[in-house]
Amino acid sequence: MTLTVLFAAGPENFAEYEAPLRAALQAEGLDARLATEAPADDVDYIVYAPSTALRDFAPFTRCKAVLSLWAGVERIVDNPTLTQPLARMVDPGLTAGMVEYVCGHVLRYHLGMDAHIGARPGAWTPVAPPLAAERGVVILGLGELGRACGAALVALGFRVSGWAARPRQIPGLACHHGPEGLAAALGDAEILVTLLPRTPETDCIVNAHTLAQLPRGARIINPGRGSLIDDAALLAALDQGQIGHATLDVFRTEPLPRNHPYWDHPGITITPHIAASTRAPSAARVIARNIARSEAGESLLYQVDRARGY
Ligand code: NDP
Ligand code: OXD
Protein backbone atom coordinates (compact mmCIF):
# COMPACT_ATOMS: atom_id res chain seq x y z
CA MET A 1 0.00 0.00 0.00
CA THR A 2 1.26 3.47 -0.85
CA LEU A 3 2.35 5.45 2.24
CA THR A 4 1.38 9.11 2.57
CA VAL A 5 4.18 11.30 3.95
CA LEU A 6 3.04 14.81 4.84
CA PHE A 7 5.73 17.49 4.60
CA ALA A 8 4.71 19.87 7.41
CA ALA A 9 7.96 21.75 7.68
CA GLY A 10 7.06 25.03 6.04
CA PRO A 11 6.05 25.24 2.39
CA GLU A 12 9.10 27.44 1.76
CA ASN A 13 11.33 24.47 2.61
CA PHE A 14 9.62 21.97 0.32
CA ALA A 15 11.61 22.94 -2.77
CA GLU A 16 14.84 22.11 -0.92
CA TYR A 17 13.60 18.83 0.55
CA GLU A 18 11.33 17.40 -2.14
CA ALA A 19 13.93 15.81 -4.42
CA PRO A 20 16.20 14.48 -1.62
CA LEU A 21 13.21 13.02 0.25
CA ARG A 22 11.78 11.35 -2.87
CA ALA A 23 15.21 9.90 -3.67
CA ALA A 24 15.77 8.70 -0.11
CA LEU A 25 12.31 7.09 0.15
CA GLN A 26 12.93 5.32 -3.14
CA ALA A 27 16.38 4.20 -2.03
CA GLU A 28 14.76 2.58 1.03
CA GLY A 29 12.38 0.75 -1.32
CA LEU A 30 9.36 2.57 0.09
CA ASP A 31 6.25 3.16 -2.00
CA ALA A 32 5.42 6.63 -0.71
CA ARG A 33 3.48 9.70 -1.78
CA LEU A 34 5.11 12.91 -0.54
CA ALA A 35 2.76 15.90 -0.22
CA THR A 36 2.42 19.27 1.49
CA GLU A 37 -1.33 18.68 1.89
CA ALA A 38 -3.34 15.52 2.45
CA PRO A 39 -6.52 14.50 4.29
CA ALA A 40 -5.44 13.99 7.93
CA ASP A 41 -6.75 10.43 8.11
CA ASP A 42 -4.67 9.43 5.06
CA VAL A 43 -1.34 10.47 6.57
CA ASP A 44 1.13 7.77 7.64
CA TYR A 45 4.12 9.96 8.61
CA ILE A 46 4.63 13.67 9.24
CA VAL A 47 7.91 15.43 8.48
CA TYR A 48 7.81 18.32 10.92
CA ALA A 49 9.49 21.66 11.62
CA PRO A 50 8.25 24.37 13.97
CA SER A 51 7.75 26.76 11.04
CA THR A 52 4.61 24.81 10.08
CA ALA A 53 1.15 26.06 11.06
CA LEU A 54 0.29 22.52 12.16
CA ARG A 55 -0.44 22.43 15.89
CA ASP A 56 -3.23 19.87 16.23
CA PHE A 57 -2.05 16.30 15.69
CA ALA A 58 -5.28 14.69 16.92
CA PRO A 59 -6.88 14.33 13.45
CA PHE A 60 -3.87 12.27 12.21
CA THR A 61 -5.37 9.05 13.49
CA ARG A 62 -3.28 6.64 11.43
CA CYS A 63 -0.01 8.57 11.61
CA LYS A 64 2.73 6.27 12.88
CA ALA A 65 5.40 8.87 13.69
CA VAL A 66 6.23 12.56 13.59
CA LEU A 67 9.76 13.09 12.30
CA SER A 68 11.32 16.42 13.24
CA LEU A 69 13.77 18.18 10.94
CA TRP A 70 15.06 20.01 14.01
CA ALA A 71 17.37 18.60 16.67
CA GLY A 72 15.73 20.67 19.40
CA VAL A 73 12.10 19.67 19.96
CA GLU A 74 11.01 22.05 22.70
CA ARG A 75 8.30 23.57 20.49
CA ILE A 76 6.52 20.26 19.94
CA VAL A 77 7.43 17.97 22.83
CA ASP A 78 4.76 19.33 25.18
CA ASN A 79 1.97 19.42 22.58
CA PRO A 80 -0.92 17.57 24.28
CA THR A 81 -2.44 16.57 20.92
CA LEU A 82 0.73 14.70 19.95
CA THR A 83 0.08 11.07 20.82
CA GLN A 84 2.22 9.73 17.98
CA PRO A 85 5.91 8.83 18.61
CA LEU A 86 8.25 11.77 17.97
CA ALA A 87 11.76 11.46 16.55
CA ARG A 88 14.19 14.37 16.57
CA MET A 89 16.82 15.07 13.94
CA VAL A 90 20.28 13.63 14.22
CA ASP A 91 21.87 14.51 10.89
CA PRO A 92 25.53 13.99 10.02
CA GLY A 93 25.46 17.29 8.10
CA LEU A 94 24.06 19.21 11.07
CA THR A 95 26.59 17.58 13.40
CA ALA A 96 29.50 18.46 11.10
CA GLY A 97 28.29 22.07 11.01
CA MET A 98 28.13 22.27 14.80
CA VAL A 99 31.63 20.81 15.15
CA GLU A 100 32.96 23.46 12.74
CA TYR A 101 31.13 26.28 14.54
CA VAL A 102 32.27 25.23 18.01
CA CYS A 103 35.88 24.51 17.02
CA GLY A 104 36.07 27.77 15.07
CA HIS A 105 34.90 29.87 18.00
CA VAL A 106 36.95 27.93 20.55
CA LEU A 107 40.07 28.55 18.41
CA ARG A 108 39.20 32.23 18.10
CA TYR A 109 39.25 32.51 21.90
CA HIS A 110 42.17 30.17 22.44
CA LEU A 111 44.44 31.96 19.97
CA GLY A 112 43.27 35.42 21.04
CA MET A 113 42.56 36.26 17.42
CA ASP A 114 40.61 39.41 18.26
CA ALA A 115 43.77 41.07 19.56
CA HIS A 116 45.39 40.77 16.13
CA ILE A 117 42.51 41.26 13.73
CA GLY A 118 42.58 44.93 12.79
CA ALA A 119 45.81 45.57 14.73
CA ARG A 120 47.13 49.12 14.20
CA PRO A 121 50.79 50.07 13.50
CA GLY A 122 52.83 49.72 16.68
CA ALA A 123 50.61 47.07 18.21
CA TRP A 124 53.51 44.65 18.60
CA THR A 125 53.00 42.44 21.66
CA PRO A 126 54.71 39.15 20.83
CA VAL A 127 53.03 36.93 23.40
CA ALA A 128 52.30 33.48 22.01
CA PRO A 129 49.08 31.78 23.14
CA PRO A 130 49.34 28.66 25.29
CA LEU A 131 49.03 25.29 23.61
CA ALA A 132 45.62 23.66 23.49
CA ALA A 133 46.73 21.10 26.07
CA GLU A 134 47.01 23.95 28.57
CA ARG A 135 43.44 25.14 27.93
CA GLY A 136 40.38 23.76 29.67
CA VAL A 137 37.24 23.55 27.54
CA VAL A 138 34.01 22.34 29.12
CA ILE A 139 30.91 21.23 27.25
CA LEU A 140 27.52 21.25 29.00
CA GLY A 141 25.54 18.55 27.18
CA LEU A 142 27.14 15.32 26.00
CA GLY A 143 24.51 14.28 23.48
CA GLU A 144 24.98 13.83 19.74
CA LEU A 145 26.38 17.33 19.30
CA GLY A 146 28.29 17.73 22.55
CA ARG A 147 30.07 14.41 22.03
CA ALA A 148 31.02 15.22 18.43
CA CYS A 149 32.37 18.63 19.45
CA GLY A 150 34.21 17.05 22.37
CA ALA A 151 35.90 14.51 20.11
CA ALA A 152 37.02 17.23 17.70
CA LEU A 153 38.37 19.42 20.52
CA VAL A 154 40.23 16.44 22.01
CA ALA A 155 41.73 15.80 18.56
CA LEU A 156 42.91 19.42 18.51
CA GLY A 157 44.65 18.77 21.81
CA PHE A 158 42.39 20.62 24.27
CA ARG A 159 41.79 19.46 27.82
CA VAL A 160 38.08 18.72 27.50
CA SER A 161 35.49 17.98 30.16
CA GLY A 162 31.76 17.55 29.80
CA TRP A 163 28.59 17.39 31.81
CA ALA A 164 25.36 15.48 31.22
CA ALA A 165 22.31 14.41 33.17
CA ARG A 166 23.41 10.77 33.41
CA PRO A 167 26.87 9.21 33.90
CA ARG A 168 28.84 9.02 30.64
CA GLN A 169 32.14 7.47 29.68
CA ILE A 170 33.68 9.12 26.62
CA PRO A 171 37.30 8.47 25.60
CA GLY A 172 39.49 11.50 26.17
CA LEU A 173 36.86 13.48 28.11
CA ALA A 174 36.50 13.98 31.84
CA CYS A 175 32.77 13.41 32.34
CA HIS A 176 30.65 14.84 35.13
CA HIS A 177 26.94 14.45 35.64
CA GLY A 178 23.94 15.56 37.58
CA PRO A 179 23.45 18.71 39.63
CA GLU A 180 26.25 17.64 42.00
CA GLY A 181 28.76 17.31 39.11
CA LEU A 182 28.18 20.76 37.65
CA ALA A 183 30.49 22.76 39.92
CA ALA A 184 33.37 20.35 39.26
CA ALA A 185 32.87 20.73 35.51
CA LEU A 186 32.62 24.52 35.58
CA GLY A 187 35.84 24.95 37.57
CA ASP A 188 37.98 24.05 34.53
CA ALA A 189 35.97 26.00 31.95
CA GLU A 190 38.29 28.64 30.55
CA ILE A 191 35.99 28.20 27.56
CA LEU A 192 32.43 26.98 28.21
CA VAL A 193 30.31 25.52 25.40
CA THR A 194 26.61 25.03 26.12
CA LEU A 195 24.91 22.31 24.08
CA LEU A 196 21.94 21.44 26.27
CA PRO A 197 18.33 21.23 25.10
CA ARG A 198 15.67 23.65 26.28
CA THR A 199 13.80 22.01 29.17
CA PRO A 200 12.48 23.30 32.51
CA GLU A 201 15.59 21.80 34.18
CA THR A 202 18.09 23.61 31.94
CA ASP A 203 16.38 27.01 32.09
CA CYS A 204 18.93 29.64 33.25
CA ILE A 205 21.53 27.00 34.02
CA VAL A 206 24.06 29.73 33.23
CA ASN A 207 23.15 32.13 36.03
CA ALA A 208 24.87 34.39 38.57
CA HIS A 209 25.76 31.39 40.75
CA THR A 210 27.20 29.19 37.99
CA LEU A 211 28.93 32.11 36.26
CA ALA A 212 30.76 32.77 39.53
CA GLN A 213 32.02 29.15 39.49
CA LEU A 214 33.87 29.67 36.20
CA PRO A 215 37.52 30.76 36.16
CA ARG A 216 37.75 34.55 36.00
CA GLY A 217 37.70 35.82 32.43
CA ALA A 218 36.09 32.64 31.04
CA ARG A 219 34.61 32.73 27.56
CA ILE A 220 31.18 31.31 26.74
CA ILE A 221 29.92 29.87 23.47
CA ASN A 222 26.17 29.13 23.40
CA PRO A 223 24.83 27.34 20.33
CA GLY A 224 22.34 25.37 22.50
CA ARG A 225 19.29 27.46 23.33
CA GLY A 226 18.80 31.04 24.55
CA SER A 227 16.88 29.77 27.57
CA LEU A 228 20.07 28.27 29.01
CA ILE A 229 21.32 31.73 29.92
CA ASP A 230 20.09 34.26 32.46
CA ASP A 231 20.68 37.27 30.21
CA ALA A 232 20.90 39.86 33.02
CA ALA A 233 23.38 37.71 34.94
CA LEU A 234 25.59 37.27 31.87
CA LEU A 235 25.60 41.01 31.16
CA ALA A 236 26.52 41.72 34.79
CA ALA A 237 29.31 39.10 34.73
CA LEU A 238 30.72 40.61 31.52
CA ASP A 239 30.67 44.10 33.03
CA GLN A 240 32.45 42.81 36.14
CA GLY A 241 35.14 40.99 34.11
CA GLN A 242 34.11 37.60 35.52
CA ILE A 243 33.29 36.63 31.94
CA GLY A 244 35.74 37.75 29.27
CA HIS A 245 33.53 37.38 26.20
CA ALA A 246 30.52 35.45 24.94
CA THR A 247 29.48 34.17 21.52
CA LEU A 248 25.74 33.62 21.36
CA ASP A 249 23.91 31.92 18.50
CA VAL A 250 20.50 31.38 20.11
CA PHE A 251 18.22 33.66 22.10
CA ARG A 252 14.99 33.64 24.09
CA THR A 253 13.40 35.70 21.33
CA GLU A 254 14.52 35.21 17.73
CA PRO A 255 15.33 37.26 15.77
CA LEU A 256 17.04 39.00 18.69
CA PRO A 257 15.06 42.25 19.18
CA ARG A 258 16.84 45.33 17.83
CA ASN A 259 16.82 47.00 21.26
CA HIS A 260 18.29 44.03 23.13
CA PRO A 261 21.37 45.07 25.19
CA TYR A 262 23.37 42.19 23.70
CA TRP A 263 23.62 44.03 20.37
CA ASP A 264 25.67 46.91 21.75
CA HIS A 265 27.76 45.02 24.27
CA PRO A 266 31.46 44.96 23.31
CA GLY A 267 31.89 41.62 25.08
CA ILE A 268 29.37 39.77 22.94
CA THR A 269 29.46 38.31 19.45
CA ILE A 270 26.04 37.49 18.03
CA THR A 271 25.45 34.90 15.33
CA PRO A 272 21.87 34.54 14.01
CA HIS A 273 21.05 30.90 14.86
CA ILE A 274 23.35 29.57 12.18
CA ALA A 275 25.61 27.35 14.25
CA ALA A 276 24.35 24.24 12.50
CA SER A 277 21.60 23.68 9.98
CA THR A 278 19.88 20.47 9.03
CA ARG A 279 21.19 19.56 5.55
CA ALA A 280 18.49 18.28 3.23
CA PRO A 281 20.42 15.47 1.46
CA SER A 282 21.67 13.78 4.64
CA ALA A 283 18.55 14.57 6.70
CA ALA A 284 16.30 13.08 4.02
CA ARG A 285 18.18 9.80 4.34
CA VAL A 286 17.63 9.85 8.12
CA ILE A 287 13.89 10.46 7.66
CA ALA A 288 13.54 7.71 5.06
CA ARG A 289 15.55 5.27 7.21
CA ASN A 290 13.23 5.92 10.13
CA ILE A 291 10.12 5.37 8.01
CA ALA A 292 11.61 2.12 6.73
CA ARG A 293 12.39 1.01 10.29
CA SER A 294 8.88 1.84 11.43
CA GLU A 295 7.36 -0.06 8.50
CA ALA A 296 9.56 -3.05 9.39
CA GLY A 297 8.26 -2.94 12.96
CA GLU A 298 11.61 -1.73 14.32
CA SER A 299 12.04 1.02 16.91
CA LEU A 300 12.51 4.59 15.71
CA LEU A 301 15.97 6.09 15.72
CA TYR A 302 16.36 9.21 17.91
CA GLN A 303 12.94 8.86 19.51
CA VAL A 304 12.29 11.69 21.95
CA ASP A 305 11.79 10.80 25.60
CA ARG A 306 8.67 12.87 26.23
CA ALA A 307 9.16 12.76 30.01
CA ARG A 308 12.71 14.13 29.79
CA GLY A 309 11.70 16.59 27.07
CA TYR A 310 14.57 15.82 24.67
P1 NDP B 1 20.90 15.35 22.68
O1 NDP B 1 19.50 15.13 23.10
O2 NDP B 1 21.61 14.29 21.92
O3 NDP B 1 21.81 15.66 23.97
C1 NDP B 1 21.38 16.47 25.02
C2 NDP B 1 22.43 16.42 26.12
O4 NDP B 1 22.02 17.32 27.17
C3 NDP B 1 22.56 15.04 26.75
O5 NDP B 1 23.91 14.77 27.03
C4 NDP B 1 21.79 15.19 28.05
O6 NDP B 1 22.22 14.36 29.10
C5 NDP B 1 22.07 16.63 28.39
N1 NDP B 1 21.07 17.14 29.33
C6 NDP B 1 19.76 17.37 29.11
N2 NDP B 1 19.16 17.83 30.22
C7 NDP B 1 20.13 17.92 31.15
C8 NDP B 1 20.15 18.33 32.50
N3 NDP B 1 19.04 18.76 33.14
N4 NDP B 1 21.33 18.29 33.16
C9 NDP B 1 22.44 17.85 32.55
N5 NDP B 1 22.50 17.45 31.27
C10 NDP B 1 21.35 17.48 30.58
O7 NDP B 1 20.91 16.73 21.90
P2 NDP B 1 21.90 17.22 20.73
O8 NDP B 1 23.30 17.07 21.22
O9 NDP B 1 21.54 16.61 19.45
O10 NDP B 1 21.50 18.77 20.65
C11 NDP B 1 21.63 19.62 21.77
C12 NDP B 1 20.89 20.91 21.53
O11 NDP B 1 21.58 21.71 20.55
C13 NDP B 1 19.49 20.79 20.92
O12 NDP B 1 18.54 20.42 21.90
C14 NDP B 1 19.26 22.19 20.39
O13 NDP B 1 18.71 22.99 21.41
C15 NDP B 1 20.67 22.69 20.06
N6 NDP B 1 20.88 22.86 18.61
C16 NDP B 1 21.23 24.10 18.15
C17 NDP B 1 21.48 24.31 16.82
C18 NDP B 1 21.90 25.65 16.33
O14 NDP B 1 22.02 25.86 15.11
N7 NDP B 1 22.18 26.60 17.19
C19 NDP B 1 21.36 23.22 15.85
C20 NDP B 1 20.99 21.95 16.44
C21 NDP B 1 20.77 21.79 17.77
P3 NDP B 1 22.11 12.75 28.97
O15 NDP B 1 23.17 12.37 27.97
O16 NDP B 1 22.43 12.28 30.32
O17 NDP B 1 20.72 12.46 28.50
C1 OXD C 1 17.74 22.65 15.68
C2 OXD C 1 18.22 24.00 15.47
O1 OXD C 1 17.30 22.35 16.78
O2 OXD C 1 18.49 24.36 14.32
O3 OXD C 1 17.82 21.82 14.74
O4 OXD C 1 18.36 24.78 16.41
Side-chain angles (χ1 to χ4, degrees):
M1 199 186 66
T2 303
L3 298 170
T4 298
V5 179
L6 178 68
F7 186 85
E12 70 284 4
N13 295 320
F14 194 55
E16 185 188 1
Y17 277 90
E18 183 178 6
L21 274 173
R22 285 192 199 289
L25 290 165
Q26 196 178 22
E28 289 287 351
L30 293 162
D31 175 13
R33 186 172 76 89
L34 179 65
T36 52
E37 287 180 16
D41 52 6
D42 280 358
V43 171
D44 295 289
Y45 295 94
I46 299 176
V47 178
Y48 172 87
S51 50
T52 180
L54 175 58
R55 297 284 176 271
D56 183 6
F57 294 89
F60 295 91
T61 47
R62 86 172 207 206
C63 174
K64 288 168 248 178
V66 174
L67 307 166
S68 173
L69 288 183
W70 283 48
V73 287
E74 70 276 3
R75 284 160 73 178
I76 183 175
V77 74
D78 286 338
N79 186 322
T81 70
L82 182 72
T83 52
Q84 301 84 350
L86 171 67
R88 62 187 206 90
M89 179 49 66
V90 175
D91 161 32
L94 183 150
T95 302
M98 186 63 83
V99 167
E100 292 178 18
Y101 180 94
V102 167
C103 289
H105 288 280
V106 164
L107 285 170
R108 168 192 174 188
Y109 285 143
H110 169 63
L111 297 174
M113 289 185 194
D114 292 25
H116 305 291
I117 293 170
R120 305 298 304 144
W124 192 263
T125 315
V127 179
L131 292 175
E134 299 162 58
R135 182 81 73 190
V137 182
V138 173
I139 306 173
L140 302 188
L142 292 174
E144 296 291 337
L145 300 177
R147 287 198 307 275
C149 292
L153 291 166
V154 166
L156 285 169
F158 287 100
R159 189 174 71 239
V160 186
S161 317
W163 182 72
R166 294 164 280 193
R168 292 261 173 197
Q169 285 193 331
I170 303 173
L173 257 76
C175 296
H176 306 270
H177 70 276
E180 64 293 345
L182 184 55
L186 294 177
D188 198 32
E190 289 173 84
I191 302 174
L192 180 71
V193 180
T194 46
L195 272 168
L196 294 161
R198 177 177 188 160
T199 67
E201 290 74 29
T202 63
D203 190 66
C204 283
I205 200 141
V206 177
N207 55 41
H209 178 68
T210 49
L211 286 165
Q213 293 175 320
L214 296 169
R216 188 161 178 82
R219 276 54 167 254
I220 296 178
I221 301 168
N222 180 24
R225 281 293 181 259
S227 61
L228 304 179
I229 293 186
D230 175 338
D231 294 335
L234 175 59
L235 287 163
L238 282 160
D239 291 342
Q240 291 153 10
Q242 169 59 13
I243 299 301
H245 202 275
T247 295
L248 309 176
D249 184 59
V250 281
F251 305 90
R252 286 175 184 274
T253 305
E254 295 181 6
L256 185 64
R258 298 179 82 89
N259 61 355
H260 196 286
Y262 280 163
W263 282 115
D264 290 329
H265 200 290
I268 293 183
T269 294
I270 290 167
T271 57
H273 200 145
I274 45 75
S277 288
T278 303
R279 309 288 160 154
S282 44
R285 289 193 286 273
V286 175
I287 296 282
R289 183 84 282 270
N290 242 349
I291 294 176
R293 285 178 67 97
S294 169
E295 288 303 302
E298 295 167 19
S299 59
L300 285 177
L301 299 170
Y302 320 125
Q303 185 163 346
V304 172
D305 180 335
R306 302 286 293 275
R308 286 185 175 269
Y310 63 94

